[in-house]
Amino acid sequence: MEGTTRAERALIALRQRILNGDLSGGTRLFEVALAEELDISRTPIRAALSKLAEEGLLDRAKGGGFVVRSFRLPDVLDTIELRGVLEGTAARFAAERGVTKAALTQARDVIQQIDMALSGHEIDLDQYSKLNQQFHKLLVQMAQSDALAREIDRVTSLPFASPSAFLDDAASSDRLQRHLSAAHEQHRAIIDAIANREGARAESIAREHSRASRQNIIFLTRQEGSLRDGAPPLEILST
């Protein structure tokens, strides 16, 4: 149990250092130095590094060890585009194959909870992010395809490719309010299309929905100062 706790602590600490830019792309990571710095043994450090490599934040170096990956903005945008294609396919599968009333009720309950998260003077961004992730998981489940679920899980494993990536910017801004409200209306439209067995429409809306994340990243990377301060993953991107 203690070993698991230490491995998780190392994973969280190293992931955060990568995402906030403290460990820049190309940095070679050494188990001994990290173990001394974090005051834990090499075994949990080794486990954390392997996990970060699975997440796509590290590359295995020639001759052993790990190197922090560098990410180009065009590659990130392509990844989000790919997520849109896969989630569009999931929405089409769900509409064509049909889903249970219970599944539709569950999705609409999440939509109502998101309505509440967006209804205040200031957005409850933590709640929105959790519910948004939940909605996208339900969408994948509705597709009834293990193969598709595996591919979506692989694509969204990188921090910047998940549906809620890059949402931590200026929660009180009018721009973010408009952005999230528009994206949420697409949530509602996707479920309506699935319920009505409109496969092509469900796929089209889901693919367009992913472009909201793409547009948000483009907007944030063009900003300076406060709008970028709340989005640490931007630090690992290069143009």
Side-chain angles (χ1 to χ4, degrees):
M1 187 68 173
E2 179 67 17
T4 300
T5 301
R6 291 185 176 183
E8 290 175 350
R9 179 160 61 90
L11 177 63
I12 293 170
L14 292 174
R15 183 191 290 123
Q16 186 59 40
R17 292 184 185 186
I18 294 170
L19 294 181
N20 65 21
D22 290 342
L23 295 173
S24 58
T27 301
R28 184 77 176 264
L29 301 182
F30 298 95
E31 290 181 12
V32 174
L34 291 172
E36 293 177 354
E37 186 177 350
L38 298 177
D39 193 26
I40 55 179
S41 67
R42 292 176 62 182
T43 299
I45 289 293
R46 189 178 302 117
L49 293 175
S50 295
K51 178 61 177 177
L52 290 171
E54 292 176 7
E55 293 180 3
L57 290 175
L58 301 179
D59 284 326
R60 294 185 182 274
K62 295 181 179 179
F66 297 89
V67 175
V68 179
R69 283 189 64 186
S70 297
F71 298 95
R72 295 174 57 252
L73 180 58
D75 293 333
V76 173
L77 298 179
D78 287 349
T79 301
I80 293 172
E81 189 75 20
L82 178 58
R83 173 169 67 81
V85 171
L86 293 173
E87 289 189 337
T89 302
R92 177 168 57 82
F93 280 3
E96 292 176 348
R97 296 172 178 180
V99 298
T100 64
K101 289 184 178 180
L104 289 173
T105 297
Q106 188 176 7
R108 284 171 172 151
D109 180 63
V110 172
I111 287 173
Q112 288 181 351
Q113 292 181 63
I114 295 177
D115 286 338
M116 295 180 63
L118 295 177
S119 64
H121 178 67
E122 290 190 359
I123 299 170
D124 186 342
L125 203 55
D126 287 339
Q127 182 70 353
Y128 177 88
S129 180
K130 292 175 183 177
L131 292 169
N132 185 52
Q133 292 278 14
Q134 187 177 346
F135 175 88
H136 283 263
K137 287 181 180 179
L138 289 173
L139 177 61
V140 175
Q141 291 170 10
M142 287 179 180
Q144 304 170 56
S145 171
D146 291 340
L148 183 58
R150 284 194 297 270
E151 290 306 305
I152 291 176
D153 185 62
R154 182 181 63 82
V155 168
T156 58
S157 63
L158 294 176
F160 45 70
S162 72
S164 290
F166 299 98
L167 285 177
D168 298 330
D169 63 306
S172 61
S173 74
D174 291 339
R175 189 202 67 85
L176 184 61
Q177 178 82 48
R178 293 192 300 271
H179 167 81
L180 295 185
S181 294
H184 184 46
E185 286 306 310
Q186 291 174 329
H187 289 155
R188 206 183 316 273
I190 290 168
I191 295 303
D192 286 345
I194 290 173
N196 293 326
R197 307 295 293 270
E198 299 170 331
R201 179 168 176 261
E203 180 175 21
S204 177
I205 297 170
R207 292 187 64 166
E208 183 64 25
H209 181 64
S210 72
R211 296 186 66 84
S213 297
R214 188 177 188 276
Q215 292 164 357
N216 200 32
I217 294 174
I218 292 173
F219 174 84
L220 290 172
T221 54
R222 291 174 178 171
Q223 305 308 306
E224 301 294 338
S226 61
L227 281 178
R228 291 180 61 104
D229 292 342
L234 289 174
E235 300 299 330
I236 63 175
L237 297 184
S238 63
T239 57

